Amino acid sequence: MLDADHPVHRLSPDAQSAWGSTLFATLPPPLTASLLQRAVEVTLTPREVFYPGAHHAETPLCAVVVDGLLRFYLTSSDGRAMTVRYAGHGQLVGVRRIAMGLVPASCPPPEETAINGEALQASRILTLPATVLAAAARSNATLSGALAREVAVQAVHDRELIAANVFRPIRERVARHLINLATREGPDLVVHASHQEIADAIGSVREVVSRAMVRFRAEGLVDRRRRRLVLTNPARLHAAAIDGRDCQTAV
């Protein structure tokens, strides 16, 4: 039980909820206090790149996602991008760099590919002192084991997302991305993304995405209203995201 003066109580209710969903929730109170003493809630604007590929050359960013949705992606030499991970409420970002730093010098980890991170919608993250976390992990077997499990789980999810973006039908890939991007605006679920941005995110091209969007609109799944893309039938769109085998469009 945390006392009333513990730093966790100074967090916003949403940040407390997000923190409680992470591996940090079970750490000893003194350790969580040392992390939270220097934790900062940061607000991200839509499409803000908060994790540039070169960032990892300096002090790594470690954070808990409080709300919103983040996307991490690789960029090719010709400017195309492929999404490798999404992160939402209660998920951790940056822990891989912490875990890689725990590898003994006699067995250095492979060089990490530069990954960019952006906010797909207005989001908040709770940044943590990476140096404090790394030092604690070196001396606390429970924490280092938890970090290792977190990295393993993230790797599995990332692999599944990449496989879906490469091998699944275009209908399913577009539908999945629309659902991930959707935000509530009054009574509507709205997506603020161009066809090119959607194509970049799922590893396709704009023309193919445009054809899929025409079909979605003809089926009553999406519509254009006041320059906004509105998801008019989220349930059916979700079904398409789970199983898009009826679509024969080629990438």
Side-chain angles (χ1 to χ4, degrees):
M1 186 71 177
L2 301 179
D3 60 58
D5 295 327
H6 194 279
V8 72
H9 298 302
R10 294 199 292 270
L11 301 177
S12 68
D14 290 337
Q16 290 187 42
S17 173
W19 180 267
S21 301
T22 71
L23 61 90
F24 302 127
T26 59
L27 296 179
L31 180 53
T32 60
S34 67
L35 291 174
L36 290 174
Q37 286 286 3
R38 293 165 55 191
V40 179
E41 282 191 57
V42 177
T43 299
L44 304 173
T45 57
R47 302 184 183 178
E48 178 178 347
V49 176
F50 70 96
Y51 195 91
H55 185 98
H56 69 272
E58 305 297 334
T59 302
L61 170 71
C62 183
V64 180
V65 183
V66 175
D67 55 28
L69 184 65
L70 311 180
R71 176 175 82 102
F72 295 85
Y73 60 94
L74 297 170
T75 305
S76 67
S77 58
D78 62 359
R80 293 180 63 185
M82 172 176 282
T83 301
V84 295
R85 186 187 178 208
Y86 292 105
H89 173 81
Q91 294 186 295
L92 299 176
V93 300
V95 293
R96 297 188 198 191
R97 293 295 304 172
I98 303 297
M100 288 172 65
L102 302 179
V103 177
S106 59
C107 183
E111 183 177 348
E112 186 183 22
T113 304
I115 295 179
N116 297 285
E118 68 172 348
L120 291 175
Q121 54 191 244
S123 306
R124 283 182 295 162
I125 59 176
L126 180 69
T127 63
L128 304 173
T131 53
V132 175
L133 178 58
R138 292 189 184 94
S139 60
N140 187 308
T142 300
L143 175 57
S144 59
L147 287 174
R149 287 192 297 275
E150 175 70 20
V151 170
V153 169
Q154 288 187 13
V156 170
H157 290 169
D158 293 356
R159 183 180 62 189
E160 292 174 348
L161 178 61
I162 293 171
N165 278 342
V166 172
F167 300 119
R168 299 304 297 172
I170 193 68
R171 176 183 178 87
E172 181 176 333
R173 288 151 60 186
V174 173
R176 185 194 304 268
H177 196 63
L178 291 177
I179 291 172
N180 286 331
L181 290 179
T183 58
R184 178 68 64 179
E185 293 186 6
D188 298 327
L189 279 174
V190 178
V191 171
H192 296 282
S194 68
H195 290 185
Q196 184 62 61
E197 289 170 329
I198 295 172
D200 289 342
I202 66 173
S204 185
V205 295
R206 181 182 59 79
E207 292 78 9
V208 172
V209 169
S210 294
R211 288 199 295 269
M213 295 295 287
V214 168
R215 289 194 58 181
F216 283 154
R217 189 168 184 176
E219 295 170 18
L221 306 187
V222 303
D223 194 16
R224 279 283 176 189
R225 299 175 183 170
R226 299 190 299 275
R227 298 183 180 181
R228 304 182 307 165
L229 178 64
V230 179
L231 308 189
T232 51
N233 195 325
R236 284 187 57 199
L237 196 64
H238 182 264
I242 295 174
D243 186 358
R245 289 178 298 179
D246 60 317
C247 181
Q248 302 301 314
T249 304
V251 178

